[in-house]
Amino acid sequence: MTGRRHVVVVGAGPAGLAAADAALAAGAEVTLIDTAERPGGQYHRMLPEAYGATDPGALQHGYRSFDRRVRRVLGHPRCSWWAESSVWALERRDVTGAGGAADSATDGPPLVHVLSGTPRRRHVLEPDALVLATGAHDRVLPFPGWDLPGVYTAGAAQALAKGERVAVGDRAVVAGTGPFLLPVATSLLEAGSRVLEVLEAAGPGAVAGGWLRRPWELGPQLGKSGELLAYAAALARHRVPYRFGAAVVEARGDGRVEEIVTARVRADWSVVPGSERVVAVDAVCVGHGFTPRLELPVAAGCALGPLSAGSPPGSAEVFVDVDDDQRTSRRRVYAAGEITGVAGAPASRAEGAVAGWIAAGGAPESRALATLRANRDRGRAFAARLATAHPIGRAWPGWLRPDTVICRCEETTYAAVCRSAADPTRTEPAVAKLATRAGLGPCQARMCGPTVAELRRTAVGVGAGPHHRPVAEPIRLGELARPPEPPPGSRHPSAHPDSPVEESTS
């Protein structure tokens, strides 16, 4: 025993990597877990080294700072890097006594069940503190034909372009809402696709009202502004039109997408009659914001809530509730990054650094923490501004037809969801799920869950949260039957607590 805290960090994107860095600076032993081969998440996804790519530092904003952090964290003797590993379950270890009070010896973070290696081996970690930085994934609203081959989520198209230099098509359209459409279109252009147009569903008034409200608050976000201007300049060089108040409302094709129907949409995203256009394409990339990956926070027992008072009215999205030190409602469990609000990589890094430092037992009055918290708070204000500028319109279900597939895994149609909502015997979410099978397929409602919940909430006022998954990742019965193996050994040299690494604010 070394007497040091053992901090487990799940997720090695900007938030998780910053958390690991700060926890090491505070003197903890750190286990950093991620499903990917390399740290960085989607934001810092780059070509594999085997491609012999150009220096990535010359291509991506903030990459050199990120690369220094990766080398510092992964090369640290107190850090265990578990690449290509997945946390498939969290097991709470509360024990209550006769009076109902939790036993302080066991009322800690949950046990972390991990699958790692090839062949995959099962391990169980018992951390002193747990930092969850699991990120978010694309949300895509369904429309007729969205299940055709050639229709991609915006994030998947960008991952193929950035990570493999694969062009998803020769004639592509990018559509949805939010500033993420800009880097997606730019990545497609760099991979060799011809981007015909970018369609932003929010109207110019909504976008301007969200972004230009109290413009003096945008001063600290000049780095983001420069990044967005660079993307806009790339689109301008390639003469890619950017259309506000427009959406893809249908995809058509024989066996794969061959054309799309676009239309102007009102502020509530209802289609303006007579504005439909048919565009020949071989790829369409769609993204309507992000959904936080909350299965592990829910499994840990963390409380969820809306983003903030700045969220648009009627917003159904929830995030992990955290305090000023990134503590969740669960003792010694911390959360950082997009599971607490989609605010961009700089805010995620600041949140991660605060979470890692506090989780490792670092002094809460550290001077560097004040700077990190200030950056974090500006990021939260940015997230609220983003939600206001790019809200999901309530009339988007008007795009749907009865035979439109809502759950692609189980091929559940819009008509089936509506029938279930109208049946008084199926008002309970669990009963409705069994009746429609929406959310019972391989993705376990990760893609369709928010949509089904919103459709049911609109119809009957009840929509179950789609994030409850006791088994967070697929595990084979053979893997489950084998007893867990001891975690690989780690070295524990002496070190002195330092201060949270301020590079996390970059």
Side-chain angles (χ1 to χ4, degrees):
M1 297 294 291
T2 66
R4 299 184 185 279
R5 286 196 187 186
H6 177 208
V7 177
V8 170
V9 180
V10 182
L17 195 64
D21 199 8
L24 290 167
E29 297 168 5
V30 173
T31 301
L32 180 60
I33 303 170
D34 198 275
T35 56
E37 180 182 0
R38 298 189 298 176
Q42 175 78 345
Y43 185 78
H44 287 296
R45 187 187 295 272
M46 299 298 292
L47 285 173
E49 294 177 0
Y51 281 63
T54 306
D55 175 18
L59 301 177
Q60 189 184 61
H61 176 76
Y63 186 87
R64 295 191 192 282
S65 174
F66 159 75
D67 187 56
R68 288 194 299 270
R69 169 165 284 142
V70 169
R71 295 175 186 276
R72 184 167 61 242
V73 170
L74 269 54
H76 200 290
R78 280 186 277 108
C79 179
S80 297
W81 163 231
W82 291 29
E84 299 179 298
S85 302
S86 57
V87 175
W88 66 273
L90 295 179
E91 179 186 350
R92 301 185 205 176
R93 44 179 171 173
D94 345 41
V95 175
T96 55
D103 182 346
S104 61
T106 55
D107 182 28
L111 303 177
V112 181
H113 293 263
V114 186
L115 289 169
S116 182
T118 305
R120 299 199 305 179
R121 293 178 172 82
R122 202 154 64 87
H123 306 285
V124 180
L125 301 176
E126 300 185 32
D128 297 308
L130 175 64
V131 178
L132 298 174
T134 47
H137 58 78
D138 298 79
R139 183 181 180 189
V140 178
L141 299 178
F143 49 85
W146 77 305
D147 51 333
L148 282 171
V151 180
Y152 297 85
T153 67
Q158 189 194 43
L160 288 170
K162 290 176 66 175
E164 300 293 339
R165 280 294 183 265
V166 171
V168 296
D170 295 322
R171 293 173 54 85
V173 167
V174 178
T177 188
F180 183 55
L181 302 181
L182 287 167
V184 171
T186 303
S187 295
L188 295 180
L189 291 169
E190 291 173 350
S193 292
R194 179 186 172 195
V195 179
L196 302 180
E197 57 187 353
V198 177
L199 305 179
E200 164 62 64
V207 173
W211 288 112
L212 299 182
R213 178 175 54 90
R214 296 197 297 272
W216 57 89
E217 294 180 356
L218 290 172
Q221 305 292 342
L222 289 179
K224 283 185 179 295
S225 300
E227 198 173 348
L228 292 175
L229 286 174
Y231 293 135
L235 297 188
R237 284 196 303 273
H238 289 84
R239 299 184 177 179
V240 178
Y242 193 99
R243 308 186 194 281
F244 290 97
V248 173
V249 296
E250 185 179 358
R252 301 169 179 167
D254 183 11
R256 64 165 292 112
V257 65
E258 296 171 343
E259 64 182 25
I260 57 172
V261 178
T262 73
R264 295 203 313 274
V265 293
R266 302 183 180 94
D268 64 356
W269 289 18
S270 58
V271 173
V272 176
S275 66
E276 295 87 350
R277 292 186 304 126
V278 177
V279 182
V281 300
D282 58 5
V284 56
C285 311
V286 189
H288 299 98
F290 297 92
T291 294
R293 300 194 62 177
L294 298 178
E295 46 270 282
L296 292 183
V298 169
C302 302
L304 308 179
L307 173 63
S308 71
S311 297
S315 176
E317 201 65 86
V318 293
F319 300 88
V320 181
D321 272 336
V322 292
D323 68 7
D324 202 44
D325 289 328
Q326 302 300 131
R327 293 185 180 90
T328 70
S329 61
R330 197 72 182 174
R331 187 167 176 261
R332 288 189 277 171
V333 178
Y334 303 79
E338 293 179 328
I339 58 174
T340 70
V342 179
S348 292
R349 286 192 288 265
E351 287 193 358
V354 173
W357 179 259
I358 298 296
E365 67 276 6
S366 169
R367 184 177 304 173
L369 277 186
T371 302
L372 292 168
R373 289 190 181 108
N375 290 336
R376 184 268 317 277
D377 293 344
R378 283 192 289 267
R380 289 178 178 174
F382 177 85
R385 187 182 292 273
L386 178 66
T388 302
H390 302 275
I392 301 294
R394 293 189 178 188
W396 68 264
W399 308 348
L400 307 178
R401 295 197 292 255
D403 62 348
T404 302
V405 171
I406 301 298
C407 172
R408 293 188 293 187
C409 296
E410 296 292 326
E411 299 185 347
T412 304
T413 64
Y414 179 50
V417 174
C418 291
R419 283 196 302 270
S420 171
D423 187 339
T425 67
R426 297 177 179 176
T427 55
E428 288 297 322
V431 176
K433 189 174 184 178
L434 291 173
T436 64
R437 297 198 59 78
L440 293 179
C443 89
Q444 288 292 287
R446 286 175 176 84
M447 296 302 296
C448 71
T451 294
V452 172
E454 186 169 334
L455 291 173
R456 286 185 53 79
R457 189 177 293 109
T458 300
V460 298
V462 178
H467 306 293
H468 179 63
R469 300 180 190 93
V471 178
E473 297 285 345
I475 180 171
R476 300 181 179 92
L477 290 177
E479 295 167 339
L480 191 59
R482 288 192 294 270
E485 299 182 12
S490 60
R491 294 166 287 174
H492 306 162
S494 61
H496 295 286
D498 197 347
S499 64
V501 184
E502 294 197 51
E503 190 178 349
S504 60
T505 65
S506 63

